[in-house]
């Protein structure tokens, strides 16, 4: 595998991001996102670009939610790159972008509690997040009675 570059996403990355999210959503690990949604929110994304691979092998989005609050969404590291620190680097880069934007609270809704705990996040009651957070949930088949994702927050 060639050198790996963590960079902002560009428009050519969208099909690969869509593919990564579809694969992981089929495993029940995160929510899929439509092409329309990805094009609209492309500027949220960082990707892992491996120089001699045709497609990117990881992605992570920082989505602004509200005053002083952003969300880490759509985090995936391809199986071939797992457990080599790339997930952490994607999260750290997204947190750094939050700081640059003047946002000091970043949350996520996740099943990967241990991973996020190792990256400075702590569990928080969902009722402590603004109602706007749950707008996305309306489209989830697990909403409202079967939601098993854990809300976690990082104070920067
Ligand atoms: C979760 C995920 C992003 C982690 O990426 P990664 O590149 O393998 O993680 P890293 O190598 O950066 O790991 C950082 C730390 O977290 C730990 N870690 C990683 N995945 C873990 C897991 N599933 N459970 C417990 N600890 C985990 C690592 O051991 C490492 O700990 P250390 O610092 O003590 O060595 C990746 O496994 C993935 O894409 N999973 C499928 C999609 C998914 O669940 N995304 C999250 C949606 S919110």
């Amino acid at each position: 595998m060639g050198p790996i570059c963590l960079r902002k996403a560009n428009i050519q990355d969208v099909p690969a991001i869509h593919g990564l999210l579809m694969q992981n959503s089929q495993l029940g690990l995160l929510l899929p996102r439509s092409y329309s949604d990805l094009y609209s929110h492309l500027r949220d994304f960082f990707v892992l670009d491996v120089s001699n691979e045709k497609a990117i092998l990881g992605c992570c989005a920082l989505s602004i939610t509200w005053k002083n609050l952003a969300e880490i969404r759509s985090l995936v590291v391809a199986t071939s790159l797992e457990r080599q620190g790339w997930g952490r680097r994607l999260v750290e880069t997204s947190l750094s972008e939050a700081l640059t934007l003047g946002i000091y609270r970043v949350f996520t809704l996740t099943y990967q509690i241990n991973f996020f705990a190792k990256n400075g996040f702590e569990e928080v009651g969902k009722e402590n997040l603004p109602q706007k957070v749950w707008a996305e949930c309306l489209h989830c088949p697990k909403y409202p009675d079967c939601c098993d994702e854990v809300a976690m927050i990082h104070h920067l």
Side-chain angles (χ1 to χ4, degrees), residues 24 75-77 82-85 87-88 110 112 114 118:
N24 282 273
L75 170 65
V76 177
V77 174
E82 267 182 328
R83 301 290 178 130
Q84 296 172 45
R88 168 169 292 144
T110 189
Q112 302 287 356
N114 292 333
K118 284 188 170 180

Side-chain angles (χ1 to χ4, degrees), residues 40-54:
S40 302
H41 295 97
L42 181 64
R43 279 176 286 203
D44 290 351
F45 276 87
F46 291 96
V47 295
L48 297 177
D49 182 345
V50 184
S51 58
N52 57 1
E53 299 277 337
K54 286 203 180 89

Side-chain angles (χ1 to χ4, degrees), residues 82-115:
E82 267 182 328
R83 301 290 178 130
Q84 296 172 45
W86 289 106
R88 168 169 292 144
R89 288 186 196 98
L90 282 166
V91 168
E92 283 174 354
T93 305
S94 300
L95 294 176
S96 169
E97 185 172 67
L99 271 180
T100 303
L101 292 166
I103 296 169
Y104 301 108
R105 292 189 309 149
V106 178
F107 76 96
T108 192
L109 302 172
T110 189
Y111 301 110
Q112 302 287 356
I113 300 164
N114 292 333
F115 168 79

Side-chain angles (χ1 to χ4, degrees), residues 96-156:
S96 169
E97 185 172 67
L99 271 180
T100 303
L101 292 166
I103 296 169
Y104 301 108
R105 292 189 309 149
V106 178
F107 76 96
T108 192
L109 302 172
T110 189
Y111 301 110
Q112 302 287 356
I113 300 164
N114 292 333
F115 168 79
F116 279 101
K118 284 188 170 180
N119 286 287
F121 286 72
E122 59 191 40
E123 288 187 44
V124 63
K126 291 175 185 172
E127 64 283 357
N128 295 319
L129 297 173
Q131 224 173 3
K132 181 172 185 279
V133 168
W134 308 108
E136 284 286 319
C137 300
L138 295 176
H139 306 291
C140 177
K142 293 182 175 177
Y143 181 82
D145 298 326
C146 303
C147 175
D148 48 2
E149 284 188 322
V150 174
M152 300 184 78
I153 196 157
H154 194 307
H155 297 272
L156 294 165

Side-chain angles (χ1 to χ4, degrees), residues 68-86:
N68 200 13
L69 185 67
E71 177 181 9
I72 287 192
R73 302 183 60 184
S74 305
L75 170 65
V76 177
V77 174
T79 318
S80 57
L81 282 187
E82 267 182 328
R83 301 290 178 130
Q84 296 172 45
W86 289 106

Side-chain angles (χ1 to χ4, degrees), residues 15 30 33 57 59-60 65-66 68 78 80 91 104 122 135:
L30 42 70
R33 294 179 72 170
L57 291 184
C59 59
C60 183
T65 310
W66 203 244
N68 200 13
S80 57
V91 168
Y104 301 108
E122 59 191 40

